[in-house]
Amino acid sequence: MSNTLKGKIALITGGSRGIGAATARQLASEGATVVISYSNSEGQANDVVAAIEASGGKAVALKADQANAAEVKALIADVVKRYGKLDILVNNAGVFETGTVAETVDDAGFDRQLRVNYEAVVTAIREASRVMGDGGRIISVSSALALRSTWPGVADYSATKRAIEGYTKGVARDLGAKGITVNAIGAGSTNTEMNPDTSPFAEAQAAATALGRFGRPEEIASVIGFIASPAASFVTGAIIPVDGGYSA
Ligand code: NAP
């Protein structure tokens, strides 16, 4: 364990598995106390907490549905009540629903992606920005699909991620004077429950990268760990591609 983030309080939304769980392990290994949120996967969230504690780290799991703005606000308030502050916010929770515009997309699916992938990020950033101080870090997990859709059926998802990226740049300007950095990660195809490397679409995704393969959650988390660290103090308003060269 290194001490880069010793004394820091970090909230990772959707930390029960995949990229969020790897990020929780990464930040905890650097000394942060981590709070992970989940909506359904209580058992997996508790397993992440147990693994971090077994490695000598500090973690807690809290239930909060990102589709519900009141629960997102209560989550941030709960973190501040428990620890007196919030230093690092990682907006990771997301849903990926495919469907072509003319055939399969319905209002409910559109609404769910908009709420979880974008509106919750806005709400969390707004609430966090009111309690964060100098040196605060806001990092949102966007997608390489924000810039280039590549396949049919991802328009809604891509648009929610592109919205995050626009918001990231604007808020970086808003919060620069407070010493808070705001960045997004343009994550490429990563082997998780959302996007397993065994799916029928995996081969095409791997072929679309320069490295010819999927990423591992830890390969996204390590970059988030850097952006969260004091070493990244001059990085803000950036969309950082971590995509194996998909966008090259
Ligand atoms: P994942 O394995 O499906 O994990 C998603 C996480 O988000 C889970 O912890 C889940 O917890 C949580 N979550 C989903 N809906 C939620 C809600 N309504 N409220 C609270 N938490 C919720 O996905 P992942 O691949 O790790 O994705 C993490 C982020 O990376 C997402 O924003 C995704 O869009 C982005 N991303 C992924 C890839 C990829 O190829 N995997 C590529 C680019 C970007 P519960 O089960 O408890 O709901």
Side-chain angles (χ1 to χ4, degrees):
M1 185 184 287
S2 80
N3 281 329
T4 326
L5 299 178
K6 193 172 165 37
K8 303 289 187 192
I9 305 298
L11 168 63
I12 299 122
T13 66
S16 53
R17 52 196 157 86
I19 293 168
T23 300
R25 291 192 296 268
Q26 176 77 35
L27 301 189
S29 77
E30 292 173 21
T33 296
V34 301
V35 180
I36 61 170
S37 72
Y38 65 94
S39 60
N40 291 312
S41 310
E42 184 177 8
Q44 284 171 288
N46 288 339
D47 288 347
V48 173
V49 168
I52 289 171
E53 288 176 341
S55 308
K58 293 184 198 139
V60 66
L62 300 176
K63 183 172 163 64
D65 181 1
Q66 295 290 114
N68 182 328
E71 291 191 28
V72 176
K73 288 181 187 176
L75 173 66
I76 307 266
D78 194 354
V79 173
V80 175
K81 192 172 162 204
R82 282 166 187 256
Y83 301 104
K85 62 173 187 164
L86 173 63
D87 301 298
I88 300 163
L89 168 67
V90 182
N91 293 306
N92 166 78
V95 289
F96 178 57
E97 296 180 20
T98 56
T100 54
V101 63
E103 291 147 15
T104 32
V105 168
D106 59 16
D107 290 349
F110 173 74
D111 191 50
R112 196 161 41 246
Q113 284 201 102
L114 194 60
R115 279 174 191 246
V116 176
N117 292 4
Y118 182 58
E119 289 180 6
V121 172
V122 171
T123 302
I125 289 178
R126 196 187 298 135
E127 297 299 306
S129 69
R130 292 175 181 148
V131 295
M132 264 186 189
D134 193 7
R137 297 278 188 272
I138 296 172
I139 303 157
S140 301
V141 182
S142 182
S143 166
L145 290 177
L147 290 178
R148 192 155 64 90
S149 289
T150 316
W151 298 280
V154 298
D156 288 355
Y157 177 81
S158 300
T160 60
K161 295 299 189 178
R162 189 67 178 252
I164 288 177
E165 296 186 2
Y167 193 70
T168 294
K169 287 177 178 289
V171 171
R173 291 277 180 189
D174 287 354
L175 298 182
K178 285 186 82 177
I180 299 170
T181 68
V182 189
N183 294 289
I185 304 295
S189 299
T190 308
N191 183 24
T192 65
E193 283 181 38
M194 177 185 282
N195 190 13
D197 66 1
T198 49
S199 84
F201 311 105
E203 208 175 302
Q205 291 181 66
T209 69
L211 294 176
R213 67 169 177 87
F214 267 51
R216 298 183 300 278
E218 292 73 20
E219 292 178 299
I220 310 295
S222 58
V223 178
I224 295 174
F226 169 69
I227 295 298
S229 77
S233 51
F234 204 49
V235 182
T236 196
I239 314 301
I240 297 138
V242 188
D243 62 7
Y246 169 89
S247 55

